[in-house]
Amino acid sequence: MRLIHPASSDDVDLSQVYAYPDRPCVRVNMVASADGGTWLKGLSGGLSGGGDRQIFGVLRGLADVIVAGAATVRTEGYGPARPRKSWHPLREGRTAVPPVAVITRRLDLDLASPLFTEAEPYARTIIITCGAAPPERRREAAAHAEVIVAGGERVDMALAVKELGDRGLSRVLCEGGSKINGQLAAADLIGDLCLTVSPILIGGDASRILNGPAALSQLRLVHVLEDEGFLFTRYTRES
């Protein structure tokens, strides 16, 4: 893997080039094809490669919390994050792993899945929902996860991020899907975008990385890495 912008001949330290800023930050990490699609045969993994998986692991190790929408959790078969030896220096003074926080309005989650049954030894899974969620289902969820109610009829993203921050989880890593990303953008919450561009054209009807109302954010390119034709870009919000 090489750093091509800004150009450098030095070895790349991924934990340094992807370090969070010294302030609360919502970071979105996505992979997309060269023509902008975010899944292949319904899954993002078909667009990924070795370098992308390496960066994915580093980003998780740096984060306080991993956020994903319920649809992404179901489709991608999420489980809890597992401790990694490489994370020890990244997570000094914090839990061994970041908890996963699932955003869901209807609480249509499999509470018997490993994401909930196998998380407890590491970091308890968090569910972020709203007041309109079925009360009985919310009580059931509370037996398997920490439940945060953020908003009335739907999840209020700004309130959800604040609630996470109040729990000391201010370095947020959002892994999608595109609707959740769109809601974060509409609420003007995205501070950092890590986008892998896969060297493949897929066509079809795959979503873009943002799916929702128009939301203009001016970004600054921080770096571009390259490995086996994949481009790994990082953008940050203009101050």
Side-chain angles (χ1 to χ4, degrees), residues 118-155:
E118 298 178 11
E120 208 64 65
Y122 311 117
R124 198 175 197 218
T125 296
I126 299 168
I127 293 174
I128 302 175
T129 189
C130 60
E136 185 174 329
R137 185 66 173 163
R138 198 190 313 165
R139 286 191 293 271
E140 184 181 0
H144 301 272
E146 179 180 355
V147 176
I148 295 174
V149 178
E153 289 300 314
R154 60 187 67 251
V155 175

Side-chain angles (χ1 to χ4, degrees), residues 184-207:
L184 288 170
D188 199 27
L189 292 170
I190 297 176
D192 214 49
L193 171 64
C194 299
L195 175 63
T196 295
V197 181
S198 177
I200 185 173
L201 295 171
I202 61 174
D205 60 355
S207 173

Side-chain angles (χ1 to χ4, degrees), residues 99-118:
V100 175
V102 186
I103 297 177
T104 172
R105 183 171 180 263
R106 297 190 299 271
L107 291 172
D108 47 348
L109 299 166
D110 180 3
L111 298 174
S113 71
L115 180 59
F116 300 101
T117 62
E118 298 178 11

Side-chain angles (χ1 to χ4, degrees), residues 4 9 21 30 40 42 44 63 83 95 120 122 130 159 178 186 188 191 194 204 211 225 235-236:
I4 61 176
S9 59
M30 295 291 288
L40 184 61
S44 63
T95 57
E120 208 64 65
Y122 311 117
C130 60
L159 182 55
S178 58
D188 199 27
C194 299
N211 184 6
L225 300 166
Y235 297 87
T236 190

Side-chain angles (χ1 to χ4, degrees), residues 13-66:
D13 183 339
L14 293 178
S15 66
Q16 289 298 316
V17 297
Y18 284 103
Y20 274 85
D22 293 327
R23 54 178 170 75
C25 179
V26 176
R27 167 178 285 170
V28 170
N29 180 42
M30 295 291 288
V31 59
S33 64
D35 56 327
T38 57
W39 66 69
L40 184 61
K41 297 181 180 178
L43 298 173
S44 63
L47 301 173
S48 190
D52 184 53
R53 288 187 287 272
Q54 183 182 2
I55 291 172
F56 176 86
V58 171
L59 294 182
R60 281 188 158 205
L62 291 169
D64 290 333
V65 60
I66 300 162

